[in-house]
Amino acid sequence: MITPASPRPLDVDVLIVGAGFAGLRLLHETRKLGLSARILEMADGPGGTWYWNRYPGARCDVVSADYSYAFSPELDQEWRWSERYATQPEILRYVDHVVQRFDFARDISLNTTVTGAVYLDEDQRWAVTDHTGREWIATYFVMATGCLSVPKKPDFPGQDDFRGESYHTAYWPKEEVEFGGKRVAVIGTGSSGTQLIPIAAEQAAHLTVFQRTPNFSIPARNRPVTDEEDRAIKAEYPERRVRALNSPTGLGFEPTKVKALEAPEDERLKHYETQWNSAGFGFILSYPDLLLDQRANDTAADFIRAKIAATVKNPELAEKLSPTGYPFGAKRACVDSGYFETFNRDNVTLVDMRDTPIVEITETGIRTTEAEYDVDMIVYATGFDAMTGALLRFPIRGAGGLTLAERWADGPKTFLGIMTDGFPNFFFLTGPGSPSVLSNVLMSIEQHVDWLGRLLEHARERGAATTEVTRDAVERWVDHVNELAAGTLYPDARSYYMGDEIAGKPRVFMPYSGGLRGFRRRCEEVAANGYPELVFREHAVQPVG
Ligand code: NA7
């Protein structure tokens, strides 16, 4: 074996960026493997996107009992969720509990922003630089930076001249923001806007909602978890975890065997009604063909539009709030608590940006092509640079100096959404090409971390200094991901799944649409076959591919 000429002293075996759910879970895994690890986190506390998204109304739209770590049965038993869908503060309390319980804090550097990472070809190590200029040397470098973590602030002309308060939902201050007595504008009606709007409307003197694309939204039917329910969940938690693991998306729902178009209309409507009253985000799984067949999709979309028409008293307003022109679910559907009802209030105005787009932000408010709205506060609920935003936020240089941004110039290229060619010993969790945002992301995180843990163990057992995927395997995986997406209705909507949220972003469908269950099987196959798609080197002499 050739030893590297002058290896730089190693700080840790595994350097992880991000102390959100993924980073913490990976820290746990590295400890199990006996590897040293450190998390670098820019915030002053753990929690990742849940740390930043503190806007009133922020809550998860996956049932709390399922949106939690499955790796520790003890943790399952001791944590008590108070609501069916946990609020952001409760999720953060859970994260803090996990950090304490597993003594994670000693391996986390908070207030530490990574500014660049370089693979040192000679040393077969990663050099990761933080904002202080400190360089961290590690064998493995893992981005656990999340899919929805880099806020997208739009660039309306005049935006910085506004003299009132302005906030972004994904960068919300810790101090309480007072809506009371104020004229408030919210721009954006995705999940964040949809959650914030009913609360802001209750408090503000007037609320003006700027909507560009009407969204499908399903009622959350949120409620407290009773002691009896809590006991029942805990009594069967192991089975619940297995059920979720074996469900297509990790949510524990199995779609009906019968297709939407096969069901008689009255039965279908009855089923939709039941789903509407109970399923939340799971409504999209009411029938297996909803995202595969436009006619099937229309049956669900029509049902939801009828619900909007029945809820919003002003028919013109109902029409404006009604999503048309794209399939239900092809753009992330929202899960709300009283969203459409909010538009029956006297103090709420809807501005349809399709008719009257924003021209500029002035010192005192927002000017559209038709009117000027003087406001005291603007809330940008404009979402994220999704899926690739965090991975491309700072330069990552792989073997030979190629940056990830260069390698992904035409869209992200990955193998199993976790690695890419030309970047030895570099991994990312729930990246493009994995089910991520189309699944219960907590389960996707754990699946990816388990797989990565097994891979690192395998690499150690065979004495490999580096692990890298071949370009051929990456290309085949990207083709597979594209083929799957092409068989669905997803590409028919403009959405962040397709990179539409950021001007100039390559338009490719990023998540894996074959379901978490199918995905996990593919991953397990790769491991069981001894990772034929990967190259393990003792000493990296030249790039693979
Ligand atoms: P989303 O779902 O990406 O929503 C962003 C919203 O902001 C959406 O309504 C956008 O309209 C709107 N938007 C974005 N940019 C603009 C500009 N320039 N002008 C007008 N309107 C704009 O982000 P969220 O934060 O709500 O939710 C993200 C995820 O968090 C969600 O999927 C859940 O998984 C949790 P558009 O639809 O693009 O026309």
Side-chain angles (χ1 to χ4, degrees):
M1 176 175 161
I2 311 165
T3 37
S6 56
R8 313 266 277 270
L10 201 64
D11 286 301
V12 281
D13 295 319
V14 187
L15 202 283
I16 304 165
V17 184
F21 275 105
L24 298 175
R25 178 63 177 80
L26 180 59
L27 180 56
H28 179 72
E29 194 69 16
T30 55
R31 286 186 183 174
K32 243 173 57 190
L33 293 171
L35 296 170
S36 62
R38 172 142 300 268
I39 298 181
L40 305 184
E41 166 58 57
M42 67 194 280
D44 67 7
T49 203
W50 290 109
Y51 173 93
W52 298 102
N53 281 265
R54 294 166 185 263
Y55 62 87
R59 68 171 77 238
C60 188
D61 51 19
V62 173
V63 173
S64 317
D66 301 309
Y67 192 86
S68 52
Y69 289 122
F71 71 85
S72 163
E74 296 79 23
L75 180 62
D76 277 350
Q77 292 303 320
E78 73 200 19
W79 184 259
R80 167 78 163 89
W81 291 107
S82 70
E83 292 180 79
R84 183 175 184 216
Y85 296 104
T87 58
Q88 177 271 343
E90 188 168 19
I91 294 173
L92 220 48
R93 282 200 296 279
Y94 174 77
V95 169
D96 285 340
H97 171 74
V98 170
V99 167
Q100 272 197 1
R101 192 189 193 288
F102 296 96
D103 189 21
F104 284 153
R106 65 185 155 90
D107 290 325
I108 304 175
S109 298
L110 297 171
N111 300 306
T112 306
T113 304
V114 175
T115 55
V118 181
Y119 180 69
L120 308 170
D121 292 280
E122 290 287 305
D123 299 355
Q124 296 173 300
R125 283 174 180 180
W126 280 90
V128 179
T129 310
D130 71 24
H131 70 288
T132 65
R134 166 157 190 192
E135 210 173 52
W136 300 79
I137 305 294
T139 306
Y140 295 105
F141 172 48
V142 185
M143 293 287 278
T145 40
C147 298
L148 298 161
S149 52
V150 176
K152 176 199 151 183
K153 198 169 179 208
D155 48 358
F156 295 113
Q159 203 168 272
D160 296 333
D161 301 336
F162 181 61
R163 289 204 306 250
E165 300 164 66
S166 38
Y167 304 99
H168 193 294
T169 44
Y171 201 73
W172 200 261
K174 283 185 182 167
E175 308 73 51
E176 195 176 338
V177 171
E178 281 286 339
F179 297 116
K182 292 178 186 160
R183 296 160 304 169
V184 177
V186 176
I187 303 176
T189 55
S191 296
S192 305
T194 306
Q195 289 183 335
L196 173 88
I197 284 163
I199 292 171
E202 275 172 17
Q203 299 167 19
H206 196 89
L207 177 70
T208 311
V209 176
F210 291 80
Q211 168 193 267
R212 188 164 67 180
T213 310
N215 257 320
F216 290 96
S217 188
I218 316 295
R221 310 285 180 216
N222 185 42
R223 53 183 160 71
V225 175
T226 64
D227 287 343
E228 201 185 330
E229 282 170 328
D230 181 58
R231 271 194 300 274
I233 290 169
K234 285 176 174 157
E236 61 120 38
Y237 231 142
E239 294 81 8
R240 186 185 183 107
R241 295 298 192 189
V242 172
R243 212 164 43 240
L245 190 70
N246 290 310
S247 67
T249 57
L251 292 167
F253 303 114
E254 276 295 337
T256 54
K257 294 276 175 278
V258 65
K259 293 180 177 173
L261 294 177
E262 291 165 358
E265 196 183 352
D266 56 336
E267 268 180 35
R268 192 170 58 219
L269 289 175
K270 229 169 99 192
H271 182 49
Y272 282 148
E273 194 65 43
T274 309
Q275 293 284 92
W276 182 259
N277 290 321
S278 60
F281 191 72
F283 189 92
I284 190 64
L285 298 168
S286 298
Y287 288 107
D289 50 345
L290 291 189
L291 278 163
L292 301 174
D293 182 327
Q294 184 60 56
R295 285 181 315 133
N297 193 282
D298 288 342
T299 65
D302 287 345
F303 177 88
I304 299 172
R305 284 190 284 261
K307 286 289 184 193
I308 298 171
T311 307
V312 181
K313 291 186 183 132
N314 176 337
E316 218 177 290
L317 203 50
E319 185 73 27
K320 286 189 172 170
L321 288 162
S322 251
T324 51
Y326 67 92
F328 161 57
K331 178 183 176 71
R332 180 64 150 76
C334 304
V335 179
D336 72 278
S337 297
Y339 176 66
F340 294 114
E341 290 83 347
T342 299
F343 292 90
N344 292 330
R345 298 176 65 103
D346 295 338
N347 70 333
V348 176
T349 307
L350 180 74
V351 177
D352 189 336
M353 294 174 67
R354 292 167 301 179
D355 298 338
T356 57
I358 293 176
V359 175
E360 62 168 345
I361 311 272
T362 66
E363 287 186 4
T364 54
I366 299 175
R367 192 163 72 79
T368 68
T369 48
E370 201 177 67
E372 221 168 311
Y373 299 86
D374 277 349
V375 292
D376 304 303
M377 184 194 298
I378 300 177
V379 176
Y380 297 96
T382 44
F384 300 89
D385 180 352
M387 308 206 62
T388 51
L391 295 174
L392 302 177
R393 200 176 205 178
F394 55 81
I396 297 176
R397 290 187 185 279
L402 187 78
T403 65
L404 192 62
E406 286 162 350
R407 173 70 186 102
W408 289 7
D410 303 327
K413 308 270 189 287
T414 79
F415 179 60
L416 305 177
I418 198 168
M419 59 204 301
T420 190
D421 58 285
F423 293 76
N425 289 358
F426 170 56
F427 303 93
F428 30 90
L429 300 173
T430 67
S434 75
S436 62
V437 291
L438 298 183
S439 66
N440 172 1
V441 80
L442 250 283
M443 188 157 277
S444 278
I445 285 170
E446 298 213 73
Q447 185 271 334
H448 249 175
V449 170
D450 285 341
W451 191 84
L452 178 57
R454 201 168 153 194
L455 174 60
L456 297 188
E457 204 169 13
H458 177 87
R460 182 167 57 190
E461 275 165 13
R462 59 193 287 167
T466 66
T467 300
E468 191 183 348
V469 63
T470 65
R471 177 164 284 219
D472 178 55
V474 168
E475 279 169 4
R476 279 186 286 124
W477 185 254
V478 170
D479 287 348
H480 173 59
V481 171
N482 286 336
E483 258 167 47
L484 281 176
T488 71
L489 301 176
Y490 283 117
D492 297 350
R494 288 185 60 74
S495 76
Y496 67 69
Y497 300 150
M498 297 288 301
D500 288 317
E501 80 288 10
I502 303 285
K505 208 164 159 172
R507 192 162 200 271
V508 286
F509 188 77
M510 290 185 279
Y512 179 84
S513 58
L516 179 55
R517 181 174 55 192
F519 177 77
R520 180 165 46 86
R521 287 182 187 147
R522 292 295 293 252
C523 291
E524 282 170 5
E525 241 170 60
V526 170
N529 292 339
Y531 307 97
E533 298 83 355
L534 309 190
V535 175
F536 298 89
R537 291 187 195 289
E538 286 188 351
H539 184 61
V541 279
Q542 56 190 353
V544 293

